Amino acid sequence: MNDSSGLGFYIPGAVLFLSTLLKLPALVRDPRNELLRSVCLLLALATAVFGCTAIPTLVAVNKITGIPNAAAPLVFSLLTAFSGANIVLILRWSNAPEDSGRTRRRCRLCTVVTVAVIAAINTLFVLGDAPVERLRDLDTYYASTPYIREMILLYIAAHTTAAVTMTVLSRRWARGVHGGLRAGLSLIAIGYVLNLFYDIAKLTAIGAHWAGRDWSVLGVRLAPAFASVSALLIATGFVLPLIAQNVTNKWRMLRRYRLLHPLHQELRVATKHSIDLSAGPWTPIEVRLTQRESDIHDGILAVNPYLRPELRDRALRVESEAGRSPEEAAAVADAAALASAVVAWERARSGAAPAPARATHMVLVSPNSPQGLVRMSLALAGSATVRSFRRSALEESSTR
């Protein structure tokens, strides 16, 4: 079925095995996640398919069991299980919350059919007689042998059905999505088209054998090449969207973390004694972002008594008259009021000015959402209105 060393199968199998190991910690943390379980099962089966279809593995299985061609039903069973796992995963993957009950029923049906086909493959092998070990051309060599013939045809039929089903499901879903998910579904669809070519090559070689011709080269050389590339594309297609989503989420958090820098720096004097949860540059971005947002909220709370509503209202009028959108105007007004409050807070802390007679407990609009915080941070960094209000607050404090 492939080269004698098996490297063409062992190397992709090792890559898939590594991918499986990388997913296991997430599964341990969330063992009830059906989608994650399906992904791990798919990667494990893909690893097993590559590992068990290599020639050295076929030889070892036959030798250990003492049964010529015992590796054949094992490989057919793994490929059938891999195809079934693909269908189950894409059903769960594309599941809408309102269709969860129907999805579970479909997944159970697919699992039952897959198990039944695997049981039939192994039963037919036991009933048949395949005394001569054939590592590369078992399909054509035993194409006319009772029970073994039916085992081969059943496996190819199940494989073809799964390939058609997955191609249709993947292409249909890919039309309505974008980004990494669409790229992954496209790879899956291409992989299953190659699976169809694999099945066509196998059936053509078998049909030629029945017609008295020797076209075994189709099954020996062409079909395994299709299968190898197909399995790799399919596994990559399922993993790619998960990786892309993770990278996208990390990038968004990192971007928000950087955009919040001006606001964090503005309030640094009020939060310099906050508890630092980070552990240097290797701290996960989730922890660093949470720390930064927490510090910002603590800083706003600390300077809240020094916020002056009239300053915010004046800045809001200035920005509204300049044609800013309501969100941008509110962010600039909040930033202007905050910058002035920080100046007043610093003077009170240094003893240069008295603390306010009573707290204002003024509520800023922007901190109510992550995007609002970002807009306020950008206003602190680049708004002329904010610079003007900060400058006025410094001049006012210096004349007292």
Side-chain angles (χ1 to χ4, degrees):
M1 293 176 68
N2 49 58
D3 62 282
S4 299
S5 67
L7 288 178
F9 280 62
Y10 287 141
I11 292 174
V15 173
L16 289 167
F17 180 66
L18 179 60
S19 300
T20 308
L21 293 180
L22 292 174
K23 280 292 172 188
L24 283 180
L27 182 61
V28 171
R29 290 194 299 269
D30 189 11
R32 296 179 179 272
N33 189 320
E34 291 183 343
L35 180 59
L36 192 56
R37 284 207 308 266
S38 297
V39 170
C40 290
L41 177 61
L42 176 76
L43 291 173
L45 285 172
T47 301
V49 166
F50 273 99
C52 291
T53 50
I55 290 293
T57 306
L58 300 178
V59 172
V61 170
N62 293 339
K63 184 176 181 180
I64 291 171
T65 60
I67 302 172
N69 303 304
L74 172 64
V75 171
F76 292 166
S77 297
L78 285 173
L79 286 168
T80 303
F82 179 70
S83 298
N86 275 258
I87 297 175
V88 168
L89 178 53
I90 204 163
L91 288 173
R92 285 178 175 160
W93 201 4
S94 59
N95 169 47
E98 61 271 16
D99 295 332
S100 58
R102 184 172 61 177
T103 300
R104 279 195 293 271
R105 289 192 296 273
R106 288 178 174 178
C107 290
R108 281 197 294 267
L109 176 61
C110 181
T111 301
V112 169
V113 171
T114 300
V115 171
V117 171
I118 291 172
I121 286 172
N122 286 274
T123 301
L124 289 168
F125 179 77
V126 171
L127 293 174
D129 184 24
V132 180
E133 183 181 61
R134 308 300 297 187
L135 299 175
R136 292 179 171 85
D137 62 346
L138 181 138
D139 310 84
T140 50
Y141 188 86
Y142 290 107
S144 300
T145 303
Y147 297 113
I148 303 299
R149 170 187 58 212
E150 283 75 18
M151 176 191 74
I152 295 168
L153 292 176
L154 175 62
Y155 149 68
I156 295 176
H159 197 253
T160 303
T161 302
V164 172
T165 302
M166 284 296 297
T167 302
V168 172
L169 289 175
S170 300
R171 289 179 62 83
R172 182 185 300 167
W173 189 19
R175 293 192 191 104
V177 295
H178 303 280
L181 179 55
R182 184 168 188 169
L185 290 169
S186 298
L187 286 177
I188 292 170
I190 294 170
Y192 270 101
V193 169
L194 291 179
N195 261 352
L196 288 174
F197 289 154
Y198 167 89
D199 295 329
I200 291 170
K202 287 286 188 181
L203 287 172
T204 302
I206 292 171
H209 175 83
W210 291 338
R213 298 172 181 269
D214 182 13
W215 289 4
S216 59
V217 66
L218 294 176
V220 172
R221 296 189 179 278
L222 191 60
F226 283 138
S228 178
V229 176
S230 168
L232 208 52
L233 285 174
I234 291 168
T236 303
F238 276 113
V239 173
L240 179 62
L242 301 176
I243 295 174
Q245 182 181 17
N246 186 51
V247 171
T248 300
N249 290 339
K250 297 280 188 187
W251 170 251
R252 286 174 179 168
M253 286 188 283
L254 181 60
R255 183 173 181 273
R256 198 160 91 227
Y257 178 82
R258 289 176 175 172
L259 290 176
L260 288 174
H261 177 73
L263 180 55
H264 185 254
Q265 285 299 108
E266 186 78 26
L267 294 165
R268 189 66 176 170
V269 291
T271 60
K272 61 183 179 181
H273 298 300
S274 65
I275 299 173
D276 189 2
L277 300 177
S278 65
W282 301 110
T283 304
I285 185 59
E286 296 90 343
V287 175
R288 285 189 284 162
L289 179 59
T290 300
Q291 174 80 63
R292 177 155 288 186
E293 290 181 336
S294 176
D295 285 350
I296 287 171
H297 284 289
D298 289 346
I300 292 173
L301 187 63
V303 303
N304 185 273
Y306 301 87
L307 289 169
R308 295 167 60 184
E310 69 276 10
L311 290 181
R312 184 186 184 280
D313 292 341
R314 188 166 16 124
L316 186 61
R317 283 196 302 273
V318 170
E319 291 299 304
S320 298
E321 290 170 359
R324 306 291 184 195
S325 68
E327 293 84 4
E328 291 178 343
V332 173
D334 286 343
L338 187 68
S340 300
V342 170
V343 172
W345 182 89
E346 286 187 281
R347 280 188 55 77
R349 291 284 293 180
S350 65
R358 62 188 181 88
T360 60
H361 296 295
M362 173 182 159
V363 177
L364 300 178
V365 175
S366 301
N368 290 334
S369 70
Q371 287 306 312
L373 279 180
V374 169
R375 283 193 292 267
M376 188 162 65
S377 184
L378 293 174
L380 280 166
S383 171
T385 300
V386 173
R387 289 196 296 271
S388 174
F389 273 70
R390 185 189 289 112
R391 187 166 55 250
S392 297
L394 289 169
E395 290 172 355
E396 182 180 343
S397 66
S398 63
T399 57
R400 289 183 179 179

